[in-house]
């Protein structure tokens, strides 16, 4: 089992940047595929980015491709989401998610563990 704690959210102007972090508990972090999701006001939770267990493969939603970068440091049990060129439509609560032994996971139901979320607000 793994526990996830996100940090790094906040208020930023359009065009700005933020880096989210997700710290995971446990000693088997490298066995978990990781993902970032977001949920805007009145919207369904949606996939943003995912990364394989080794970090060698990454994948993104079309809406963030070229602007966001997911990465991980297995030695620090942490996954990151670097967000550049932020837009008001990126405003949402951002969630970190994990699933052990998974690969290329883009759906909410495919992940077994979730963080509490961190708010990102982009002003125009």
């Amino acid at each position: 089992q793994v526990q996830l704690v996100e940090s790094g959210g906040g208020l930023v102007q359009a065009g700005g940047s933020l880096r989210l972090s997700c710290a995971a508990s446990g000693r088997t972090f490298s066995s978990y595929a990781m993902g970032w999701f977001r949920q805007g006001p009145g919207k369904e939770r949606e996939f943003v980015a995912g990364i394989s267990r080794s970090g060698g493969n990454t994948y993104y939603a079309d809406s963030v491709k070229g602007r966001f970068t997911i990465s991980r440091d297995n030695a620090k049990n942490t996954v990151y989401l670097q967000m550049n060129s932020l837009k008001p439509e990126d405003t949402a609560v951002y969630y970190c998610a994990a699933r052990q032994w998974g690969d290329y996971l883009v759906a909410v139901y495919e992940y077994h563990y979730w963080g509490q979320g961190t708010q990102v607000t982009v002003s125009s």
Side-chain angles (χ1 to χ4, degrees):
Q1 197 166 4
V2 64
Q3 292 182 321
L4 307 172
V5 179
E6 302 98 333
S7 62
L11 174 64
V12 63
Q13 288 188 329
S17 298
L18 282 175
R19 188 175 85 151
L20 305 184
S21 299
C22 173
S25 64
R27 293 175 290 179
T28 59
F29 179 68
S30 61
S31 70
Y32 289 84
M34 301 298 295
W36 284 97
F37 287 74
R38 67 186 181 187
Q39 188 164 14
K43 297 182 180 180
E44 298 288 321
R45 192 170 298 189
E46 65 175 359
F47 171 78
V48 173
I51 189 166
S52 62
R53 286 168 278 152
S54 68
N57 293 314
T58 59
Y59 37 100
Y60 300 90
D62 287 343
S63 59
V64 307
K65 204 171 292 183
R67 300 188 298 123
F68 290 10
T69 303
I70 187 171
S71 62
R72 67 189 295 164
D73 185 337
N74 285 346
K76 295 183 178 180
N77 282 16
T78 302
V79 63
Y80 305 96
L81 185 68
Q82 177 66 44
M83 305 186 295
N84 298 330
S85 302
L86 282 161
K87 305 175 181 179
E89 51 263 44
D90 294 318
T91 294
V93 177
Y94 282 71
Y95 296 91
C96 174
R99 174 171 173 164
Q100 198 169 27
W101 307 123
D103 192 20
Y104 196 72
L105 308 171
V106 300
V108 171
Y109 73 86
E110 293 181 301
Y111 286 86
H112 294 164
Y113 303 100
W114 294 84
Q116 82 289 350
T118 186
Q119 177 71 47
V120 172
T121 303
V122 184
S123 63
S124 57

